Amino acid sequence: MTPEPIDTSDLTALTARQLIAGYERGDFSPLDATRAVLERIEAMEPAVNAFVRVDAEQALAQADAATARRRRTEPLGPLDGVPVTVKDLLLQAGAPTLRGSRTVRPAAAVRDEDAPAVARLREQGAVFVGRTTTPEFGWKGVTDSPLTGVTRNPYDVTRTSGGSSGGSAVAVALGAAPLSIGTDGGGSVRIPASFCGIFGLKPTYGRIPLYPASPFGTLSHAGPMTRDAADAALLLDVIGGPDWRDWSQLPPTAATSPGLGVGAEGVKGLRVAYSPSLGGQVAVRPAVAAAVRGAVARLAELGAYIEETDPDITDPVDAFHTLWFSGAARLVQHLGKEQRELLDPGLREICAAGARASALDYLAAVDARMELGRRMGRFHTSYDLLVTPTLPITAFEAGVEVPRGSGHRRWTGWTPFTYPFNLTQQPAATVPCGVDADGLPIGVQLVAARHADALVLRAAHALYESGAATIPAPAL
């Protein structure tokens, strides 16, 4: 079969797979791609504020070395020479990990080791172009911090990018590298991916090793943020490699990316539960509901068996808050009074709430979490996939934690579809499925049983291949 031609007029518009194909054919080099990406960052960054740090000199040196390896046909791996970005919560040797906080001293934040996912990318020869923004310590579902300010949506810079991996989502959406690694403790990959119109996956907990351990414990996952599901599968195969520093990592699995072919399996015959509002528990905007219903209809056209039904669960927000707020309190426990005054005011509030929780409160939340996991385990004996909106709304005003006038107190008020699946540790992905009247992206969430990451990716890939995930590009 003749390879599909690649439009090389804008290298920043290409997926990682297209870049790799172009490298292999000699159409362009990693150095060409990296120069294009750095120019794109320079042009977009004043408007969106997606980066904490851009190291052009290092990136060009890495790209030059990758170009030489490609010319010798001796790449270190499939991602050799592919530009990537990393959320500024994950260690990257030689670069400060500031975590969006004025309480972190830059000199003390430089480590000589990589986080596991970063180490796997470095082994492959990936090109690290920059560190992306996060709210302070990744604590909320939007991306603004006392250290770096507000990160803005590529579709409308007056709106939020979502969070906490907002910088990564914006970078991917605007072509500032096709691959990024985010983290997700309550939706922090899926929320910004949905608001910014890209693909985001929270894999099964332990699929991607983490080190150091998150202060939020086993709620927190690392995850790929990419242009599409096929790129995410490719990235997951790399960053899911074993690392002895994470005692809770899962054993290695077979590579995911070769099994995505829609012609081979796709979604035909899958049992799909469609829950528009988790049993009426969530008020979903009509435009969001319509777009998600359209994605479900496409799954049916592709051969899935659809049943509109809801999992037997109630909103676990109280348990989530106990676990999340307690983790935040532990995170800042070492700070003195003057340093605490430097924290995001909302973070100070949840830390105070977490400090008031007792051990019995914490164990009660663990009990609620285990019961939620049991119920979802039973649910997936009948259904292969659960489909919901990723979020009930589209991107709102930048610089605030909750939409004005919403009545919500915390970010969890508008993210009821995401954090339950951090509690259960299930794989969950968001796929763009349309835009609202303001041109803002809408996402559909695909959830499967624990360890069924390949199934989520396969179903997402089917939506991309069918055209259901095609939305207009950002205006920037």
Side-chain angles (χ1 to χ4, degrees):
M1 181 182 295
T2 303
E4 182 180 347
I6 299 173
D7 180 359
T8 60
S9 60
D10 181 5
L11 298 184
T12 69
L14 303 184
T15 65
R17 298 177 334 283
Q18 289 172 327
L19 286 177
I20 293 165
Y23 297 163
E24 291 175 346
R25 290 202 295 250
D27 295 341
F28 45 81
S29 71
L31 196 54
D32 296 328
T34 301
R35 284 173 176 152
V37 160
L38 291 171
E39 289 174 5
R40 183 71 176 121
I41 293 171
E42 185 176 3
M44 72 177 224
E45 184 59 5
V48 294
N49 187 35
F51 284 88
V52 178
R53 173 188 175 92
V54 177
D55 193 334
E57 184 177 351
Q58 172 188 265
L60 291 170
Q62 291 173 344
D64 190 45
T67 296
R69 290 191 294 270
R70 289 282 183 182
R71 284 174 178 161
R72 298 194 306 266
T73 64
E74 297 175 354
L76 297 177
L79 297 183
D80 200 350
V82 176
V84 299
T85 62
V86 177
K87 184 179 181 180
D88 195 38
L89 291 182
L90 296 167
L91 294 182
Q92 184 177 329
T97 302
L98 301 176
R99 302 194 284 176
S101 182
R102 293 184 293 172
T103 68
V104 176
R105 290 188 300 113
V110 179
R111 300 275 287 271
D112 62 357
E113 61 182 336
D114 291 321
V118 177
R120 303 293 83 77
L121 286 171
R122 195 181 298 278
E123 291 164 359
Q124 288 248 337
V127 174
F128 295 100
V129 296
R131 310 272 292 166
T132 56
T133 52
T134 175
E136 193 163 24
F137 302 115
W139 80 270
K140 60 183 175 179
V142 293
T143 301
D144 59 71
S145 78
L147 181 68
T148 59
V150 178
T151 297
R152 299 177 179 277
N153 194 291
Y155 283 82
D156 179 346
V157 294
T158 69
R159 311 289 183 115
T160 180
S161 63
S164 63
S165 306
S168 287
V170 174
V172 172
L174 289 177
L179 305 177
S180 192
I181 311 173
T183 62
D184 189 316
S188 289
V189 161
R190 291 159 290 156
I191 294 164
S194 179
F195 276 179
C196 295
I198 67 165
F199 181 77
L201 171 68
K202 179 191 76 66
T204 301
Y205 179 80
R207 175 57 53 220
I208 300 173
L210 282 172
Y211 172 84
S214 169
F216 300 107
T218 59
L219 293 173
S220 291
H221 306 53
M225 303 181 73
T226 59
R227 292 259 174 76
D228 59 24
D231 265 12
L234 179 65
L235 181 55
L236 182 61
D237 287 344
V238 173
I239 64 178
D243 194 293
W244 61 266
R245 294 173 292 174
D246 183 353
W247 63 270
S248 64
Q249 67 181 313
L250 295 176
T253 61
T256 302
S257 50
L260 291 184
V262 171
E265 290 180 296
V267 298
K268 187 174 182 180
L270 291 184
R271 303 164 299 168
V272 175
Y274 167 43
S275 179
S277 60
L278 293 180
Q281 297 180 72
V282 183
V284 179
R285 285 187 185 169
V288 173
V292 172
R293 188 174 291 277
V296 171
R298 183 59 58 90
L299 291 173
E301 293 170 2
L302 295 171
Y305 298 113
I306 309 294
E307 181 179 345
E308 188 168 325
T309 188
D310 305 298
D312 178 26
I313 61 173
T314 55
D315 187 355
V317 69
D318 291 337
F320 180 82
H321 280 172
T322 298
L323 299 172
W324 192 254
F325 296 176
S326 297
R330 173 63 175 158
L331 174 66
V332 304
Q333 189 176 27
H334 68 288
L335 298 179
K337 182 178 179 181
E338 290 186 2
Q339 283 187 301
R340 286 176 182 252
E341 289 300 315
L342 299 176
L343 295 172
D344 182 324
L347 177 57
R348 282 203 306 270
E349 289 179 12
I350 72 161
C351 290
R356 292 191 295 269
S358 69
L360 289 178
D361 294 332
Y362 192 93
L363 291 173
V366 171
D367 286 343
R369 180 182 191 179
M370 290 190 291
E371 174 59 17
L372 180 68
R374 185 191 70 81
R375 288 172 181 259
M376 287 307 303
R378 181 176 62 188
F379 181 80
H380 283 291
T381 64
S382 299
Y383 301 99
D384 300 303
L385 285 175
L386 169 66
V387 178
T388 74
T390 305
L391 297 163
I393 60 175
T394 52
F396 52 90
E397 177 187 354
V400 295
E401 183 184 346
V402 301
R404 296 187 192 277
S406 66
H408 298 311
R409 174 66 180 145
R410 297 264 75 101
W411 62 271
T412 44
W414 53 270
T415 61
F417 293 110
T418 59
Y419 57 78
F421 306 110
N422 292 81
L423 289 164
T424 61
Q425 302 186 339
Q426 294 171 246
T430 183
V431 179
C433 62
V435 295
D436 68 6
D438 294 323
L440 298 169
I442 296 166
V444 58
Q445 180 174 235
L446 310 177
V447 184
R450 290 179 74 242
H451 312 295
D453 305 78
L455 180 61
V456 170
L457 285 163
R458 202 175 84 212
H461 183 59
L463 287 173
Y464 276 97
E465 289 286 286
S466 72
T470 302
I471 64 171
L476 282 179

